[in-house]
Amino acid sequence: MYPEIFGLSFLHTYGVLVAAALLVGLWLAGRLSREAGLNAGAVTDLGLYCALAAIGGAKLMMFLVDFSYYREHPGEIFSLSSAQAGGVFYGGLIAALAVAVWQMRKTRLPGWKTADVFAPAIALGHGIGRIGCFTAGCCWGVECHRPWAVTFTSLAAHDRVGVPLNIPIHPTQLYEAFAEFAIFGFLYWRIHKPHADGAIIGAYLMLYSTARFTVEFFRVHEQGNVLGGAFDTSQFISAGLFLLGAACLWRLRARTSQARGEL
């Protein structure tokens, strides 16, 4: 919709909102970590490391899911368009989780409790980031003739990300943003209630993966599907993360039941 702030080609709305998402997410994680009795400085440092890993992981996943294209056009890997692309969120999430595990072991932060304070921050930051996607035009939806359909008309957006112009489409970026804000609201409420360590991150994984799996049905998949089949790559990853979140909650429930049995 509005890929450039004040029409300045060097000031991208997407970049500004992603930066805002990172700052808000780090602030919230720091605040929640203090409430949980964690070392806020260590948690903030962890967030920065995870953010850097997420950027690299998202780019790598983008190259992997569209490997056939980049194999035929290797120069595009280092092109300006690739540098400006946000990448695939799931690649960033997986890379961030891997770095988080490594860094938490190094700093001796309690894993599940630390993951819990990051869950609402990730949801809020990602929601802001998806609004950035909407302003840039990326991650667009399939053609839609519902009252809430949107029509992109910005030549700058089309040239930068390829979004089709003058065609009503599903605002899939907003679908996901609203879902993330709702998830954030639930997790922020839940984390202030009594809960076992790991319950918040488990709920996040299940809720977000469900939302993402659903949104993918209304989204144009400009990138490839490395696994093939009826579902796209993000939906397969969604299913895996849903099972991971369910396993977290099942583990907590089993441990709680065992503790009650020993009383």
Side-chain angles (χ1 to χ4, degrees):
M1 284 296 184
Y2 299 101
E4 299 168 353
I5 298 177
F6 304 127
L8 300 175
S9 60
F10 61 87
L11 192 57
H12 299 167
T13 311
Y14 174 80
V16 171
L17 287 175
V18 168
L22 174 61
L23 293 175
V24 170
L26 288 175
W27 170 80
L28 181 60
R31 174 180 171 180
L32 292 176
S33 67
R34 286 189 290 272
E35 294 177 1
L38 298 173
N39 184 328
V43 169
T44 301
D45 289 343
L46 173 61
L48 289 172
Y49 291 138
C50 289
L52 293 174
I55 294 171
K59 297 287 188 184
L60 179 60
M61 180 68 77
M62 179 180 73
F63 297 142
L64 290 177
V65 298
D66 210 2
F67 179 74
S68 60
Y69 173 80
Y70 287 104
R71 181 179 57 190
E72 296 177 1
H73 306 85
E76 286 295 314
I77 295 177
F78 305 102
S79 67
L80 180 61
S81 59
S82 294
Q84 292 176 335
V88 179
F89 172 75
Y90 270 144
L93 179 61
I94 293 171
L97 288 174
V99 169
V101 171
W102 172 76
Q103 182 67 9
M104 284 188 291
R105 288 182 176 179
K106 180 180 177 181
T107 57
R108 304 197 179 192
L109 283 168
W112 291 113
K113 181 175 288 189
T114 305
D116 282 347
V117 303
F118 270 107
I122 293 171
L124 179 58
H126 194 197
I128 296 172
R130 280 304 184 198
I131 294 178
C133 289
F134 182 68
T135 64
C138 61
C139 311
W140 64 90
V142 298
E143 188 170 345
C144 172
H145 295 283
R146 300 291 184 179
W148 57 83
V150 297
T151 301
F152 286 86
T153 58
S154 171
L155 289 175
H158 174 74
D159 293 341
R160 187 167 295 132
V161 301
V163 61
L165 302 182
N166 304 314
I167 299 175
I169 56 179
H170 279 282
T172 46
Q173 311 95 329
L174 297 184
Y175 294 167
E176 195 167 338
F178 293 155
E180 285 281 34
F181 291 143
I183 293 170
F184 159 71
F186 171 75
L187 295 181
Y188 188 79
W189 167 81
R190 186 70 182 87
I191 201 171
H192 289 100
K193 301 292 182 181
H195 64 275
D197 293 343
I200 308 303
I201 189 65
Y204 166 76
L205 291 174
M206 293 184 70
L207 290 170
Y208 175 68
S209 60
T210 300
R212 179 63 179 266
F213 188 94
T214 303
V215 170
E216 287 295 309
F217 286 114
F218 303 96
R219 180 173 165 180
V220 169
H221 303 114
E222 66 274 19
Q223 295 164 326
N225 182 355
V226 297
L227 299 176
F231 301 124
D232 66 41
T233 304
S234 291
Q235 288 177 312
F236 281 113
I237 297 175
S238 294
L241 289 181
F242 181 90
L243 293 176
L244 178 61
C248 289
L249 297 184
W250 178 83
R251 162 189 160 276
L252 294 176
R253 183 176 181 181
R255 181 173 294 182
T256 301
S257 298
Q258 182 181 6
R260 289 176 178 174
E262 292 175 352
L263 294 178

